[in-house]
Amino acid sequence: MLSEDVYHSIMDDVASLFVNDSSGHDIHHTKRVHDSAVTIQATEGGDIDIIRLASLLHDADDRKLFATENYSNARSIMVDHGISKDMQDAVIHVISQVSFKGKDTIAPDTLEGMIVQDADRLDAIGAIGIGRAFAYGGKAGRAMYDPKEHHKEGMSESEYYSNEGTTINHFYEKLLLLKDMMNTETAKRVAKHRHSFMEGFLKEFYDEWYGTNQTNL
């Protein structure tokens, strides 16, 4: 098992990649995913080192943020900290299966991958998920909401990544789908509450947008 000093040092390296990030993919997101993954692992099992490393490095080469190839940021960080080639490969395999890709999304083929994917998805829903969605939308120059623009369904990976729809549409194109895509029982339980919170937020949003609830004025 890797030492805590190694993990703290890797966290520092990852933090340096996200300096001044305002898209919701900052080091705080990484820490939450890591901590959630560790919590899930305590119940579900799996190799704790692979899970922790993949959690910390899962956004190090995110295509939305970096123009890297072959997970070079994650690889470089692991090499610098003496992680074995076999473990590097296992970690990269997990990371490669984490992302949501519309209808081309895959379910991880390892328990470690399932746990890291669940932890990442849990941070995309609920109160923090809502905040991150609007942070990313603002960073990307997307409208908050446009009543004339309808959300898209069944997008392929390429369509999903090229989509520039509103943040509210993103709820229907991804966030509200995640509850039923969780892999572990632990994550499924947490996702139910966070999903309900998002549904309540959307109802309030529409009430305020269209002026259908004026009781607080």
Side-chain angles (χ1 to χ4, degrees), residues 15 21-22 33 76 86 94 97 105 115 135 172 192 203 210:
D21 180 89
S22 60
V33 172
S76 178
D86 286 346
V94 167
Q97 297 183 332
T105 302
I115 289 172
Y172 301 95
K192 287 182 181 179
K203 181 181 184 305
Y210 292 106

Side-chain angles (χ1 to χ4, degrees), residues 1-2 7 10 33-34 37-38 41 45-58 78 83-98 109-117:
M1 185 177 294
L2 299 175
Y7 282 115
I10 290 175
V33 172
H34 170 269
V38 170
Q41 188 274 343
D47 186 302
I48 187 61
D49 283 325
I50 292 174
I51 289 168
R52 293 185 71 181
L53 287 170
S55 298
L56 292 175
L57 297 167
H58 79 281
M78 287 191 284
I83 307 302
S84 71
K85 180 64 163 56
D86 286 346
M87 184 166 287
Q88 289 180 41
D89 290 342
V91 169
I92 296 301
H93 181 70
V94 167
I95 293 172
S96 71
Q97 297 183 332
V98 167
D109 57 14
T110 65
L111 176 58
E112 291 79 14
M114 293 177 187
I115 289 172
V116 176
Q117 187 182 72

Side-chain angles (χ1 to χ4, degrees), residues 20-156:
N20 299 322
D21 180 89
S22 60
S23 72
H25 295 81
D26 53 26
I27 192 59
H28 302 292
H29 164 66
T30 296
K31 289 178 179 178
R32 289 191 301 270
V33 172
H34 170 269
D35 293 348
S36 292
V38 170
T39 299
I40 296 171
Q41 188 274 343
T43 299
E44 305 287 346
D47 186 302
I48 187 61
D49 283 325
I50 292 174
I51 289 168
R52 293 185 71 181
L53 287 170
S55 298
L56 292 175
L57 297 167
H58 79 281
D59 273 343
D61 297 277
D62 190 311
R63 63 189 291 177
K64 298 187 298 295
L65 310 172
F66 304 102
T68 55
E69 295 182 0
N70 300 317
Y71 303 95
S72 59
N73 282 339
R75 287 271 189 196
S76 178
I77 290 172
M78 287 191 284
V79 168
D80 288 346
H81 290 87
I83 307 302
S84 71
K85 180 64 163 56
D86 286 346
M87 184 166 287
Q88 289 180 41
D89 290 342
V91 169
I92 296 301
H93 181 70
V94 167
I95 293 172
S96 71
Q97 297 183 332
V98 167
S99 295
F100 180 86
K101 300 176 181 179
K103 68 179 182 180
D104 294 324
T105 302
I106 62 172
D109 57 14
T110 65
L111 176 58
E112 291 79 14
M114 293 177 187
I115 289 172
V116 176
Q117 187 182 72
D118 280 356
D120 187 40
R121 287 177 173 177
L122 285 175
D123 208 56
I125 60 177
I128 288 177
I130 292 170
R132 291 182 65 224
F134 283 99
Y136 184 81
K139 179 76 172 180
R142 298 179 182 178
M144 182 168 63
Y145 177 56
D146 183 346
K148 297 179 181 178
E149 182 180 317
H150 299 289
H151 68 273
K152 300 174 183 177
E153 298 181 354
M155 286 186 285
S156 66

